[in-house]
Amino acid sequence: YERLLELDPTLRGSLRVSMTIETTGLVGRLEVTETTVAEPHGTALGECVLELLRPSVFVPAPSGGSVSYSFPFVFDPQR
């Protein structure tokens, strides 16, 4: 986000990321399901967030099956 702010200092918006945490603790399904970040930077910001989340390992891992949830990421240069 900081690199994109150098190109567009007013860049703001939110991304909603949906993910599944497998019983191994690894991230399974991972996708941006909503965004209010304007193009041309919205896609790049979404891909960056997914790239950072993909290698995550959750400890303790869920037991009894995978867990799916959705999480918002809010980007605002004034915060």
Side-chain angles (χ1 to χ4, degrees):
Y1 179 65
E2 288 82 11
R3 284 186 229 145
L4 291 174
L5 278 178
E6 293 175 9
L7 301 172
D8 181 356
T10 64
L11 184 64
R12 64 175 32 95
S14 64
L15 300 171
R16 181 166 294 277
V17 175
S18 293
M19 64 188 332
T20 300
I21 309 304
E22 303 298 338
T23 56
T24 60
L26 299 175
V27 175
R29 185 184 57 80
L30 179 65
E31 64 181 320
V32 175
T33 55
E34 295 177 34
T35 183
T36 65
V37 180
E39 292 299 341
H41 305 299
T43 299
L45 186 57
E47 289 174 1
C48 182
V49 169
L50 296 181
E51 184 178 316
L52 290 170
L53 290 172
R54 193 165 281 112
S56 299
V57 178
F58 291 81
V59 178
S63 60
S66 62
V67 175
S68 297
Y69 69 97
S70 180
F71 189 83
F73 291 84
V74 178
F75 301 92
D76 186 344
Q78 302 304 315
R79 288 190 174 181

